[in-house]
Amino acid sequence: MQWNDAPILITGAASGLGRATALHLHGEGATVGLVDLPGKGTEELAGELGERALSLSADVTSAAEVQAAIEALSERAGALRGAVHCAGVAWAGRTLGRSGPHDLDVFGHVLKINTMGTFNVVRLCAAKMAEQEPGPDGDRGAIVCTASVAAFDGQIGQVAYAASKGAVAAMTLPLARDLARSGIRVVTIAPGVFDTPMMKMLPEEARQKLAQTVPFPARLGDPAEYGALASHILQNPMLNGEVIRLDGALRMAPR
């Protein structure tokens, strides 16, 4: 995929992995559609980037709002060529805690945002990509999803989060197979411990302990490294149906 102002939709774009991805792709020449909840900061980021950046508000679980964001980006910049889905939530709670069993509504809420939200964005972006003329190899676009190492190494208290991200990892191959006839690729990144705003909420001592659990490099991941990988996936036509761990060889301990 050559950028040439190609429009790329990025969810969760106001902060963390999504923001870093937007900065990287915009720097490479892409037009970026910055999607996040209202008031999260996409307007400020679009102003910072200037040309080839569009602030868009959407709840990723809403079909109407995601569709409207896709249409707005396409009207502004042309046929949708790629999407990077970073929006999601984290939650900690044991299956059986001191106050009783895990809240079922909370479990459903985490799956709704992380799993259903991912599928909603993929299906609608794919439908838009399928409308355009294919490239020389029959390609029409690529979509990058975000799982987590918790999909494979879920820790104590991560049952809801691990389930939601495990589902994203599991749907990657069937999504790629479903969309192959339309010339659309799907790849998922499973990040380890990254220095995102969520991580910055932890005390410095806890942050350092987490960093020391990473074999090499023994530090928290830089969101820019996620953005660089997302960019490479979008441009490498043989990457498809794969879940890529981006974790410095980290394997999470039970706690």
Side-chain angles (χ1 to χ4, degrees):
M1 181 186 297
Q2 299 299 316
W3 298 132
N4 299 324
D5 297 336
I8 311 294
L9 189 83
I10 304 166
T11 67
S15 63
L17 302 179
R19 178 185 173 88
T21 300
L23 292 172
H24 190 100
L25 294 176
H26 186 270
E28 291 192 329
T31 296
V32 291
L34 309 169
V35 178
D36 217 311
L37 293 171
K40 287 291 186 177
T42 57
E43 290 185 358
E44 290 82 354
L45 179 56
E48 177 185 329
L49 293 175
E51 293 184 5
R52 294 184 289 103
L54 179 63
S55 173
L56 302 163
S57 296
D59 178 339
V60 296
T61 67
S62 167
E65 291 182 17
V66 173
Q67 185 66 53
I70 292 170
E71 295 298 337
L73 178 60
S74 298
E75 289 173 11
R76 163 82 174 267
L80 184 67
R81 294 297 307 280
V84 183
H85 178 63
C86 297
V89 296
W91 180 264
R94 296 193 182 211
T95 305
L96 185 59
R98 290 189 177 88
S99 59
H102 195 294
D103 188 300
L104 191 59
D105 289 336
V106 169
F107 188 90
H109 176 72
V110 174
L111 264 70
K112 180 179 181 181
I113 295 174
N114 292 352
T115 306
M116 188 185 297
T118 296
F119 184 65
N120 188 41
V121 170
V122 170
R123 73 187 185 96
L124 295 175
C125 285
K128 192 64 177 179
M129 291 174 185
E131 295 176 359
Q132 66 185 335
E133 290 299 315
D137 291 331
D139 65 300
R140 288 187 171 88
I143 302 170
V144 179
C145 302
T146 306
S148 165
V149 295
F152 316 102
D153 313 330
Q155 295 185 295
I156 290 171
Q158 283 192 324
V159 61
Y161 184 67
S164 69
K165 293 299 188 176
V168 173
M171 72 169 71
T172 303
L173 182 58
L175 283 172
R177 287 173 166 172
D178 278 355
L179 298 174
R181 66 180 182 180
S182 299
I184 299 168
R185 296 182 293 113
V186 181
V187 175
T188 291
I189 301 174
V193 286
F194 271 68
D195 197 13
T196 61
M198 189 180 301
M199 192 65 66
K200 285 180 169 63
M201 295 172 62
L202 295 176
E204 183 58 28
E205 182 180 355
R207 284 162 47 85
Q208 290 302 321
K209 285 183 178 179
L210 274 174
Q212 291 166 9
T213 64
V214 182
F216 186 80
R219 60 169 173 79
L220 299 177
D222 184 339
E225 293 162 336
Y226 176 100
L229 178 56
S231 173
H232 178 76
I233 291 168
L234 291 175
Q235 297 181 72
N236 190 327
M238 279 302 288
L239 278 173
N240 193 17
E242 183 61 86
V243 180
I244 303 172
R245 291 183 68 132
L246 186 64
D247 60 14
L250 172 67
R251 297 299 181 268
M252 300 294 285
R255 68 176 75 225

